[in-house]
Amino acid sequence: MSTSTPLRIASDRTRYTEDAIEVDFVYRTTEVRVTETGEMVATPKEVTYHLRTERKVPKVGLMLVGWGGNNGSTITAGIIANREGISWRNKLGIQEPNYFGSITQASTIRLGLTPDGQDVYVPMKDIVPMVDPNDLVIDGWDISSLNLAESMERAEVLEYDLQRQLYPLMASMRPRPSIYFPDFIAANQGDRADHVLTGSKMEQMEQ
């Protein structure tokens, strides 16, 4: 059985306030000591940790190094497609965006059993308040001056019909100039390096 209903823990170790979820978590372990005679003495130990999770999810920014590369442009396109609900057609028919493969968005956790013995699974994203990828504010750096729509085209990862719909939504997204040290970048990237910071390494770092 799976559920996406709100989760509430009924425990004297868990407290809900308007601002936070507070938990007293008892970590149990065993300390093993070897005596001079070679005898092993195992002693149970308990440590209580006080955990506090804010219930209000703050605005979160994602800064990507190499934003205009294949990975950066594709993850940005994927988030926008999910956020805007953009479907597209390929040789298999109409495709819908999803977060399959995402640990937080697509996986579940076994929570326990129902009174009649059925397993209950809940989405990981419903366990505690966490940021929704659709709400991320994305920015980053790249050695290439192409905007994210052009970078997406150059990457040739996504289906054409999806690219076509994403293009106007990504054309205004442009990476910040990047530090460029050729020794740390693949040789075939050199021709793209038209959007780089100048100066010594320290001067580039400070920019």
Side-chain angles (χ1 to χ4, degrees):
M1 176 189 298
S2 63
T3 176
S4 60
T5 56
L7 173 63
R8 187 174 186 86
I9 305 299
S11 168
D12 58 0
R13 296 183 183 275
T14 304
R15 297 171 297 282
Y16 291 85
T17 69
E18 184 177 344
D19 300 322
I21 304 170
E22 299 181 349
V23 176
D24 295 324
F25 174 74
V26 180
Y27 176 72
R28 295 180 173 87
T29 186
T30 302
E31 180 182 271
V32 179
R33 180 173 56 86
V34 181
T35 67
E36 293 180 355
T37 62
E39 179 185 26
M40 290 188 293
V41 179
T43 306
K45 296 287 185 178
E46 289 188 356
V47 180
T48 299
Y49 294 96
H50 178 68
L51 308 178
R52 189 174 191 272
T53 301
E54 298 289 339
R55 301 186 73 174
K56 182 179 180 181
V57 178
K59 194 170 186 178
V60 177
L62 174 63
M63 297 291 291
L64 293 171
V65 177
W67 190 22
N70 293 5
N71 293 332
S73 60
T74 301
I75 194 172
T76 302
I79 289 172
I80 294 174
N82 276 277
R83 186 186 68 204
E84 303 298 326
I86 299 174
S87 59
W88 67 98
R89 182 184 294 276
N90 64 13
K91 64 182 181 180
L92 300 177
I94 300 297
Q95 306 298 314
E96 302 289 341
N98 59 65
Y99 279 115
F100 292 169
S102 166
I103 293 176
T104 61
Q105 302 302 300
S107 63
T108 60
I109 293 176
R110 182 182 177 276
L111 184 62
L113 296 170
T114 63
D116 60 355
Q118 293 190 49
D119 288 324
V120 176
Y121 295 86
V122 295
M124 181 181 285
K125 62 186 179 67
D126 292 342
I127 294 292
V128 294
M130 64 177 64
V131 65
D132 187 318
N134 292 345
D135 296 330
L136 288 171
V137 180
I138 309 175
D139 204 328
W141 306 265
D142 202 274
I143 61 174
S144 170
S145 62
L146 296 184
N147 63 50
L148 266 289
E150 295 168 329
S151 297
M152 173 183 63
E153 280 190 325
R154 180 179 61 189
E156 299 180 351
V157 173
L158 302 176
E159 303 274 0
Y160 168 74
D161 191 35
L162 179 57
Q163 289 191 40
R164 176 183 60 80
Q165 297 176 78
L166 287 169
Y167 197 99
L169 302 176
M170 298 175 63
S172 63
M173 305 173 79
R174 190 176 297 275
R176 301 164 187 265
S178 174
I179 288 174
Y180 177 55
F181 302 142
D183 290 346
F184 297 95
I185 297 177
N188 62 359
Q189 301 295 305
D191 293 341
R192 301 182 181 184
D194 61 353
H195 192 54
V196 300
L197 299 173
T198 58
S200 66
K201 290 184 178 180
M202 181 59 69
E203 289 170 341
Q204 291 184 52
M205 290 291 292
E206 292 177 345
Q207 294 180 58

